[in-house]
Amino acid sequence: MTVELGVIADDITGACDVAAGVTAAGLDAEVRLGVPDPATAPAAACIIVALKSRTAPVEEAVGESVTAARVLRSWGARRLYQKYCSTFDSTDRGNIGPVADALVDEVGGAVSFGTPATPAVERTMHRGHLFVGDRLLSESSLAHHPLTPMRDPDLVRVLARQTPHRVGLVPIEAARSGPAAVADHLRRLRDDGVRHVLVDAVMEEDLDAAAAAVAASGDLVLGGAAGLAVALARTLATGDRVGAPARPAGRALVLSGSGSERTRAQVAAYPGPRWVLDVDALAANLDGVVAAAVDFVRGTDGIPLVSATAEPAVVARVQERWGRDRAAALVETALSRIAERAVVTADVRRILVAGGETSGAVAAALGVSTLRVRRVAAPGVAWTTATDPAGRALDLCFKSGNFGGRDFFTTAFEEEER
Ligand code: ADP
């Protein structure tokens, strides 16, 4: 299998976002959770390694990204793609800049070229300034993100603070003039000693021009959010898909640990049976709460939702009482144990998980290492199949907190059953 695109993603839902997009564009995709074992042969034209490196210590993020790149290159990956968030989630320490620097060194003498712009989800970039919908990044809710507050909308400036090397921009005029103009601008920046190149994109066609300009250059480290990866997939799609895996049968479950605004609306709108996790109760008796929640799942008709999702004021109170990390660990441990016990004791085989950190914890508890895209559930969200260590086939959907419509917890299963 020729690996056309080897992607290193800084979180699991971002990896699934790319997987959904490139699959819809006609390129088969496989997600590997964590740095893959080089001995396990790739089975798709696009391999996406899902790391947990967005907010990890810089050295750890760099080390894992470089090791993943080596495995992908040992498989003959023709292009490397550094997947980060469409809102460029990072701090002045990293991790986007340091990882890009390390990958450029790994490839040898290359430059990095990319963009977080993803017009399909209203992330656009103009004059190097990122917009989220109608607002500048710095005026969006991302300015108040607890771990990676984005207060500067000028991404050339943001990236320049994360690397000792020069950062440059291919402006929107070049993208509008087509692939040759983009390639020309990129060449000039390179000749000037610029090491990291960002490209403006406001519409899907701008991404297509950028993708066409670089798809054939093997010495670039490509990067960005799902938008450019999908545009690359459009240029690389061969049309000969291996075919989607079959749908595993069994009971279904929704787990929500996301605090995002969109997920809060999805939880509120869900009409099915629900079990609400309370952090105080988890702190007092985690095993007891887990056992009771699994009993609830086992004894309920319909698709049960087990949720820790709460309003920001409630989360703030809980965090004050238990500390942010302890509260998060209690919720992640509970939801991942519930997932694992529900599979083993309640015949659950189809699980929708909301929240990036939550998804990472659940995937680890289920012991799955490879996800194959089966069906796109919504823009940026896919149903994927995996096999657990006991050989059970699972249908898993890992949803980023802010993705999916209000009724997603219902429509996702309608889509899954089609
Ligand atoms: P999102 O980024 O969309 O909010 P994540 O799953 O990535 O979703 O992150 C949410 C974090 O908040 C997780 O670490 C989760 O364990 C934690 N969390 C979820 N519910 C609560 C709650 N009620 N109180 C405190 N922390 C919570």
Side-chain angles (χ1 to χ4, degrees), residues 151-175:
R151 301 204 177 101
D152 184 353
D154 180 342
L155 296 190
V156 172
R157 209 160 50 194
V158 171
L159 187 53
R161 287 196 290 266
Q162 298 182 25
T163 167
H165 300 282
R166 287 182 56 201
V167 180
L169 178 74
V170 174
I172 190 70
E173 290 82 355

Side-chain angles (χ1 to χ4, degrees), residues 162-389:
Q162 298 182 25
T163 167
H165 300 282
R166 287 182 56 201
V167 180
L169 178 74
V170 174
I172 190 70
E173 290 82 355
R176 286 290 153 82
S177 304
V182 174
D184 194 46
H185 211 100
L186 171 59
R187 196 174 316 111
R188 273 187 276 133
L189 288 170
R190 237 176 136 146
D191 291 347
D192 274 357
V194 169
R195 198 183 212 212
H196 299 293
V197 178
L198 292 171
V199 55
D200 276 345
V202 174
M203 302 199 312
E204 214 57 46
E205 296 88 295
D206 305 329
L207 292 175
D208 285 330
V214 297
S217 356
D219 64 343
L220 290 174
V221 171
L222 304 170
L228 183 61
V230 173
L232 282 161
R234 280 196 287 267
T235 73
L236 301 171
T238 52
D240 53 344
R241 287 205 57 200
V242 177
R247 182 171 81 94
R251 299 193 56 204
L253 172 65
V254 184
L255 299 171
S256 180
S258 160
S260 295
E261 198 176 343
R262 182 64 61 87
T263 303
R264 295 204 307 274
Q266 289 162 343
V267 168
Y270 188 60
R274 73 180 60 200
W275 180 278
V276 176
L277 291 178
D278 174 69
V279 177
D280 293 338
L282 289 175
N285 179 9
L286 189 126
D287 289 344
V289 173
V290 167
V294 175
D295 281 347
F296 162 76
V297 170
R298 201 181 295 114
T300 306
D301 289 333
I303 299 177
L305 160 68
V306 178
S307 169
T309 294
E311 291 303 310
V314 174
V315 174
R317 266 201 307 279
V318 161
Q319 288 177 336
E320 220 163 274
R321 191 168 313 145
W322 301 106
R324 195 190 67 198
D325 292 350
R326 169 122 168 92
L330 284 166
V331 170
E332 287 172 30
T333 306
L335 286 172
S336 49
R337 281 203 203 149
I338 290 165
E340 189 263 333
R341 296 316 300 160
V343 168
V344 175
T345 69
D347 196 35
V348 166
R349 297 289 182 273
R350 304 145 59 207
I351 309 178
L352 164 58
V353 188
E357 294 296 323
T358 310
S359 291
V362 169
L366 294 175
V368 295
S369 56
T370 300
L371 307 175
R372 295 265 313 158
V373 174
R374 201 177 60 69
R375 175 172 277 284
V376 175
V381 196
W383 280 103
T384 61
T385 58
T387 306
D388 77 0

